[in-house]
Amino acid sequence: MSELTAQNLEYGAPIFIRIFKGSSTLELWMESNDGRFKLFKEYEICAYSGDLGPKEQEGDLQSPEGFYFVNAGRLNPWSQFHLSFNLGYPNKYNRMQGRTGSALMVHGDCVSIGCYAMTDTNINEIYTLATEALKGGQPFFRVHAFPFKLTDENLDKYRDHRWYEFWRNLQGGYKYFLVHGRPPNVEVEKGKYVFGV
């Protein structure tokens, strides 16, 4: 509570989460009084599975990348991994690509077989802020999972990578948030993510 007060953020305010595989970082953003989202805290991801790139099929031990959302029905306070919330993989885009998988989570217990695992201390804090945001009226919170910060400079280093075009598509959502201070509404058209208000 003291940390929230110090940043002029309110307990129960809407949240937004960004995940970066390359740096093993989870960012928790909260809506501020001006309607823009402000970075509350960065948490170290204790473990994730696989390499840079999206999850393609059940059992590939790959953590997903893309745009997901979590509502109250996807929270699990009784998780065998301490606490968890389901990302909702496969989303519409994943299904259109023929990708398979299930029970892809952010959870505690610091072990991963396709999920993003946090320490129990960190998931306690993240889960509490998520729960309070949903109780406060946020219908769901968005989780954007990226390979790394999708700046033009970073992406250019991967021009010959298998997933370059996929990451260029993700970059549209990444940049939208930087410009508008709010996560975009994400739809899927013609096999690609599209972004808007």
Side-chain angles (χ1 to χ4, degrees), residues 21 51-54 62 65-67 93 145-148 150 154-155 157-174:
K21 276 186 179 177
D51 302 313
L52 299 183
Q62 186 78 356
E65 294 175 7
F67 302 95
Y93 174 90
F146 299 117
F148 43 81
L150 289 171
N154 284 346
L155 194 54
K157 297 172 186 175
Y158 291 88
R159 188 170 293 276
D160 297 324
H161 196 281
R162 172 189 178 193
W163 295 115
Y164 175 73
E165 289 300 328
F166 171 67
W167 291 337
R168 274 190 42 158
N169 186 201
L170 298 189
Q171 189 186 41
Y174 175 86

Side-chain angles (χ1 to χ4, degrees), residues 4-69:
L4 290 169
T5 301
Q7 296 191 50
N8 293 317
L9 294 169
E10 294 182 11
Y11 187 62
I15 70 164
F16 166 53
I17 288 174
R18 296 200 305 177
I19 289 170
F20 296 100
K21 276 186 179 177
S23 59
S24 293
T25 304
L26 182 150
E27 296 178 346
L28 194 146
W29 297 70
M30 299 182 71
E31 189 175 42
S32 59
N33 291 332
D34 66 2
R36 294 174 70 89
F37 279 74
K38 180 177 180 180
L39 180 61
F40 170 59
K41 195 179 288 191
E42 293 184 358
Y43 302 88
E44 181 182 358
I45 296 170
C46 198
Y48 70 85
S49 298
D51 302 313
L52 299 183
K55 182 174 185 63
E56 295 185 88
Q57 61 185 16
E58 185 86 49
D60 65 4
L61 302 180
Q62 186 78 356
S63 298
E65 294 175 7
F67 302 95
Y68 301 93
F69 70 89

Side-chain angles (χ1 to χ4, degrees), residues 58-175:
E58 185 86 49
D60 65 4
L61 302 180
Q62 186 78 356
S63 298
E65 294 175 7
F67 302 95
Y68 301 93
F69 70 89
V70 179
N71 57 27
R74 292 183 176 166
L75 299 177
N76 183 7
W78 303 283
S79 171
Q80 63 178 316
F81 300 105
H82 186 55
L83 295 168
S84 68
F85 52 85
N86 192 319
L87 294 175
Y89 180 98
N91 62 16
K92 182 179 179 181
Y93 174 90
N94 302 140
R95 293 192 299 272
M96 287 180 69
Q97 300 294 326
R99 296 176 182 167
T100 59
S102 59
L104 278 300
M105 312 273 184
V106 174
H107 60 65
D109 209 28
C110 207
V111 293
S112 173
I113 50 171
C115 300
Y116 291 101
M118 315 300 294
T119 64
D120 288 354
T121 299
N122 285 346
I123 197 65
N124 284 347
E125 195 165 284
I126 295 162
Y127 193 92
T128 298
L129 291 172
T131 300
E132 290 305 310
L134 295 173
K135 284 182 182 176
Q138 186 177 20
F140 58 84
F141 60 90
R142 300 181 188 275
V143 180
H144 294 181
F146 299 117
F148 43 81
K149 293 196 173 183
L150 289 171
T151 63
D152 291 336
E153 182 181 20
N154 284 346
L155 194 54
D156 196 54
K157 297 172 186 175
Y158 291 88
R159 188 170 293 276
D160 297 324
H161 196 281
R162 172 189 178 193
W163 295 115
Y164 175 73
E165 289 300 328
F166 171 67
W167 291 337
R168 274 190 42 158
N169 186 201
L170 298 189
Q171 189 186 41
Y174 175 86
K175 285 187 169 182

